[in-house]
Amino acid sequence: MTVRNTLALLTAAFMCSCSGNSGSKSTSSDTLSGKQDAAMAAIQCFAYQAQKDSAFLHLEINSGIVSGKLSYALFEKDRNDGTIAGTMSGDTIFARYTFSSEGSQSVREVAFLKSGTDWVEGFGDAKDSAGVMVFTDRSGLDFEKGLHFKPVECPAAP
């Protein structure tokens, strides 16, 4: 799926989630449906910290669709800031990370495995596919040495 298609899918999902019946009376079934929607959407933040390295992950998961922000500040490496957009597959997130580094924009596939309350980033061999670095074999990803993102309070919106 191209970045353009992913963004179009996320935009459509956002627009559908924003449409509502403002000004109308809610029934008990509407209230129940609203509670189910709220339970299905989860916004959470996670951080990785080790010596001089840090990373931050802001996730919004809604009915298996994942979006959010991801940034890395790794010692003696260029800072990366960007967005993720992807899907949940069981207990694993597969997403495209669109980020800026050194003044240029890049896209690469990322994977995170749920481990208790944490998310662990997976790494593996990747290849360039139409300008996007993608994993060559998702089943062979290594989550043992990945960054462990622990839950943190989300920063207040500006």
Side-chain angles (χ1 to χ4, degrees), residues 22 53 101:
S22 63
D53 296 336
S101 180

Side-chain angles (χ1 to χ4, degrees), residues 16 26 45 51 75 84 98 148 156:
C16 289
S26 67
C45 294
Q51 298 175 2
F75 184 65
I84 62 169
T98 303
H148 287 255

